[in-house]
Each structure stands twice: as C-alpha cells, then as structure tokens.
Amino acid sequence: MRVGGWGRAVRVLGVVVLLSVAWLQLALPPLPHDPHSALGGGARETPEFDPSLSYHRSPASKFLQTKAQHQTSPVKTILSQEQILEIREQIQLRSGNETVLNEELYGPIQADTIVIAVQVMQIFYPHSLQTHPHSFPGESQGDCPRDTKPEEAAKLKCVGTPDLYKHYREARFTQTKHHWWWKANKIFDDIWILRNHTGLVLFLEEDHYVAEDFLHMLRLLTAAIPRACPKCSLITLGNYLKNYNFQTDGRKVEVTQWVSSKHNMGFAFNHSVWLQIKACSAEFCNHDDYNWDWSLQHVSFSCLEQKLHTLVLRAPRVFHIGECGVHHKKKDCSSRTVLNKVHRALQNGQRTLFPRQLIVVHTPPKKVKKHKGNGGWGDKRDHALCHSFSVSTSPEHSMVNNSFISFIPIINNSSFNGSVVRSVS
C-alpha cells in the first residue's frame, strides 16, 4: 500500500480508538475512586469543539465533537459488593478470551507486529481501586493515614510501613506503579497470542496524541539502531520540548541516555530488553518511589549491565495533550488549547512527515545523577504485590483479592522497505 494509504489507515484507526475510549467513558458509570467524580464538576474536562480545527476530517475534531455532544454531569456512584464481584468476574472472563479487534482487516499477529499498549484486544487490570474500594491495594480500614507519626502508629496499631520520608502509603498513588508493572508483565509474558512475539511494544497513555507517521517512524528508527546506536535499547517518539520545528527537525534523532522525566512518553522496547528489566524486578519493586518511570531509571542505574539508552525524535510523533492527571490539577482541564497547537504544528510540517531518511545527531553526553526516590512506596504489601506480577498476572495467583484498566494492541502488518541513515556529529 502507498504511504498515503497507510496514513489514511492510521487516521481511521485512530478515530476508532478515540471513539472507543469515549464510548467506554460514557457507557460506564463513574466509580468510587474515579478522579472525575472526586474532582467535581469544576475540574472535569469540558472538551468543546474548537472551530480553529478547520480540518473537519481530523481525528482530533471528530473526537472533540463526539465528546461535546455526549457530555453529561458527573454523578458519584457507589458500587455494591455484588456489583464489584460481577465486575471482577467479567474482567477475568474478558481478559482470558484475548479477543483481537480488527484482526479480519489486518491479519493475525506476527512475531514483528508492533503492539501498542494504550487503553484494539483489551486487557483489564485486576487490582484497581475501583474494585477494591475497602481493601488492599485500595484503602482498607486499618491502614495508617499518610502523615501518622511512628509513635502514633504504634499506639493505633494501624497497618503500613512508612516510606523514606516517613509517610504511609496512599492507594491512589501506588496504583500507578502497580498498573504499569502489571501491564508490562501481562503483555510480554502472559498473553498467549503474543507468546512468539519478538517485536516492539510501544507504551502510550490515554491522553497521548499520535502523528499519522508514528508507525513509519518507529520502523525507521528500528532499522537505524544497528548502525546509529548499537547500545540503544529503547526508542522514544515523544518529548517535552515546548517548541519544536518540523521543518528543521522533522528527520533528526538524538542518541542519549534514557532519563525518566524526558523520555517516558511514547517509548518502545522489545522482549529481549524486557527480560533484562524483569531480571531486575527486585530493584524495581523495592525502590521507594511510586512512579514507574523513576523506578525504571533506578533499574537502569543500579542493576542493568548497560544503562538504558534511547533514540529520541527532536520533532515528536507522540504528544501529551492531557492538562490534568496524577501530578497536575488545574481549574480548566480542557485539552483543546494543547490539541490546537499540536494540530497546527502537524499541518505546518505536513511535507516533512514520512521521511525516507533520518539524520542522527550525536550530542555530548550529560551526567545523569542517581535519583534518591520520591517515596510513597514504603509499604511491604506494595512490594509483595509488585513482585507477584513477575510470577503471574492472574488475579487468582495474587496474594490479595483483585480489577480494571485497559490496553489496546493496534495491529499493523504493512511491509517496510528499509531506510538510509545519515549520521552527523
């Protein structure tokens, strides 16, 4: 298929994914720990359609239009124990089915198929706060409050182990690291239809927006690694630069050491790299930091024979459009301003998309300090649950009773004719 044809296919697939996520959000009632419910109406995103998105066929404009038409007021819903048990049963059933959507269009999964972990098969995280509102890994009745002093904890006989800052666990924060580690173990080791998969797994999040040539760039970068950066074990499609110029940087890629705060957006690695990371599960699961990315950097520094290095695009193909999240709270959580900026940048750089060559830039290495840890991960129960995922991601195996969050591998089996890589210092 011509490059333009694949571009259209990716855009159509993007619309399907976005609308599917929107439908799921609208079809399911807000759960007890749903941040939309907890934040209230003032902090909920209001994704109104912006007329400046003049390209009416774009996935962005269609997505915003759809959500604006179906926007409803947040209502806090308390699930009964029977409903929670039913959800857990459905999670177990649906995860076990391993149904791949659109397989009839793109064919079965091959060893080198690019698997995209997002939120078109779905897997469901079996340990979320929604299905454990009153038990670990959610908040349980005997847990020590975050700021309890050690002497007070002894008197109260509450449950928990303080972190390096002497704070006790907060379930809403520990869930982020649990979920990422469970997801990685599930995808690489516990999905039967991926048992022979050796290709890349690209990690995206639900508030990431991708350029239409992101799969093309992923293949281009993969082909470049043997010559451009043999020590690179990861590929990074996104960055956090406030300004980027597709006209000058559309083909440029940097070789650098992987840093969690710079290279955690739209990054990919394969099964052989995963085996190295998994072998360091003790360093990941015991490191006192509730962030999965900082824990992964700790693994890179303290356990791996070769620190993680990456090829990272100067002109990103993955963009973060979420304005609110675990670390950021704003009065206006709307994504439309950021989305407009991204859309304009892609329109202006349209001619630079789908390049045939890359320009590899070797920048002087910068010293990266070893990170102490952000805390929030001192509880031994969190360590134990994290370790259990490396043995099995099945809810029956886990030491605790277990829930929900989804992932989507997008299947694309287009052929790739290779590329020419030009290096500059």
Side-chain angles (χ1 to χ4, degrees):
M1 183 180 289
R2 297 196 306 262
V3 168
W6 282 118
R8 286 191 294 273
V10 170
R11 286 197 295 272
V12 171
L13 194 54
V15 174
V16 173
V17 172
L18 290 171
L19 292 180
S20 297
V21 173
W23 180 86
L24 283 171
Q25 291 176 335
L26 294 165
L28 294 174
L31 299 178
H33 288 79
D34 187 342
H36 286 160
S37 299
L39 289 173
R44 180 154 182 163
E45 178 177 349
T46 308
E48 299 172 1
F49 173 64
D50 193 323
S52 65
L53 295 177
S54 57
Y55 185 41
H56 69 279
R57 294 179 59 200
S58 73
S61 61
K62 289 186 177 182
F63 176 55
L64 290 178
Q65 279 181 303
T66 302
K67 288 198 73 175
Q69 291 168 359
H70 294 87
Q71 190 70 50
T72 57
S73 300
V75 178
K76 188 170 182 178
T77 303
I78 304 298
L79 296 178
S80 67
Q81 188 62 30
E82 291 75 16
Q83 289 173 315
I84 291 175
L85 290 174
E86 183 179 354
I87 291 174
R88 291 182 185 178
E89 290 175 0
Q90 287 297 318
I91 287 170
Q92 184 175 346
L93 176 63
R94 297 188 185 195
S95 294
N97 287 341
E98 296 193 1
T99 303
V100 178
L101 304 182
N102 299 318
E103 188 173 18
E104 71 281 3
L105 297 177
Y106 299 100
I109 292 176
Q110 305 295 328
D112 60 348
T113 294
I114 295 176
V115 174
I116 305 178
V118 197
Q119 194 63 336
V120 180
M121 175 186 122
Q122 290 182 327
I123 58 175
F124 299 91
Y125 178 53
H127 308 277
S128 80
L129 305 189
Q130 287 90 340
T131 53
H132 297 78
H134 308 300
S135 62
F136 182 85
E139 296 178 3
S140 52
Q141 189 173 4
D143 286 351
C144 296
R146 177 185 183 273
D147 297 321
T148 306
K149 304 297 182 184
E151 56 273 15
E152 295 175 352
K155 292 179 182 179
L156 293 172
K157 296 183 179 180
C158 56
V159 179
T161 310
D163 62 16
L164 55 86
Y165 301 102
K166 303 193 183 306
H167 294 145
Y168 288 87
R169 77 185 297 268
E170 293 181 271
R172 62 195 177 104
F173 293 120
T174 60
Q175 179 173 240
T176 59
K177 181 171 174 176
H178 279 311
H179 173 243
W180 191 88
W181 189 242
W182 176 89
K183 178 173 61 177
N185 277 277
K186 180 74 173 179
I187 295 168
F188 282 109
D189 295 335
D190 230 4
I191 296 182
W192 188 81
I193 59 174
L194 295 179
R195 65 196 182 283
N196 297 319
H197 183 258
T198 57
L200 290 173
V201 173
L202 172 64
F203 289 87
L204 297 177
E205 297 180 10
E206 73 282 356
D207 56 357
H208 287 172
Y209 186 85
V210 298
E212 61 185 272
D213 68 339
F214 80 105
L215 287 177
H216 172 83
M217 296 304 291
L218 204 54
R219 294 188 177 93
L220 209 60
L221 289 163
T222 302
I225 282 180
R227 289 180 54 194
C229 183
K231 65 181 178 181
C232 286
S233 49
L234 294 90
I235 293 172
T236 306
L237 299 182
N239 62 50
Y240 290 96
L241 297 176
K242 292 185 177 180
N243 298 300
Y244 33 83
N245 190 325
F246 275 82
Q247 301 296 335
T248 58
D249 296 333
R251 294 190 296 147
K252 291 182 180 178
V253 56
E254 290 186 5
V255 175
T256 183
Q257 185 175 324
W258 189 84
V259 178
S260 65
S261 58
K262 296 180 179 179
H263 309 126
N264 63 0
M265 177 166 46
F267 74 105
F269 55 90
N270 61 24
H271 194 265
S272 63
V273 176
W274 165 247
L275 290 178
Q276 298 174 41
I277 294 172
K278 186 177 180 179
C280 299
S281 60
E283 284 74 13
F284 183 91
C285 290
N286 297 337
H287 183 52
D288 195 355
D289 196 316
Y290 68 95
N291 298 285
W292 63 265
D293 48 354
W294 282 109
S295 299
L296 187 58
Q297 182 166 315
H298 174 73
V299 166
S300 176
F301 270 82
S302 63
C303 183
L304 297 179
E305 292 184 11
Q306 167 86 40
K307 290 184 176 67
L308 295 173
H309 284 74
T310 184
L311 287 177
V312 56
L313 293 173
R314 279 193 176 178
R317 267 42 174 209
V318 174
F319 306 85
H320 182 247
I321 62 171
E323 289 294 278
C324 294
V326 173
H327 300 98
H328 304 284
K329 306 295 181 188
K330 296 182 178 181
K331 290 184 177 180
D332 181 11
C333 294
S334 173
S335 302
R336 61 183 178 273
T337 301
V338 180
L339 196 55
N340 289 344
K341 178 184 176 182
V342 171
H343 190 248
R344 284 193 295 270
L346 290 174
Q347 281 191 322
N348 293 335
Q350 191 70 29
R351 292 179 178 273
T352 67
L353 300 180
F354 295 97
R356 302 173 73 90
Q357 297 178 337
L358 292 174
I359 299 175
V360 180
V361 181
H362 296 271
T363 57
K366 297 180 181 179
K367 186 176 181 180
V368 181
K369 295 181 180 179
K370 188 174 181 178
H371 190 251
K372 179 181 178 181
N374 292 303
W377 193 263
D379 200 298
K380 302 302 181 185
R381 293 173 296 172
D382 288 313
H383 299 180
L385 178 61
C386 181
H387 280 292
S388 75
F389 297 154
S390 297
V391 179
S392 173
T393 58
S394 170
E396 296 90 350
H397 170 80
S398 173
M399 328 167 22
V400 295
N401 288 328
N402 314 315
S403 218
F404 175 102
I405 273 189
S406 54
F407 127 100
I408 301 176
I410 298 178
I411 312 305
N412 190 313
N413 291 316
S414 61
S415 59
F416 182 64
N417 297 323
S419 63
V420 178
V421 179
R422 181 159 60 94
S423 297
V424 296
S425 297

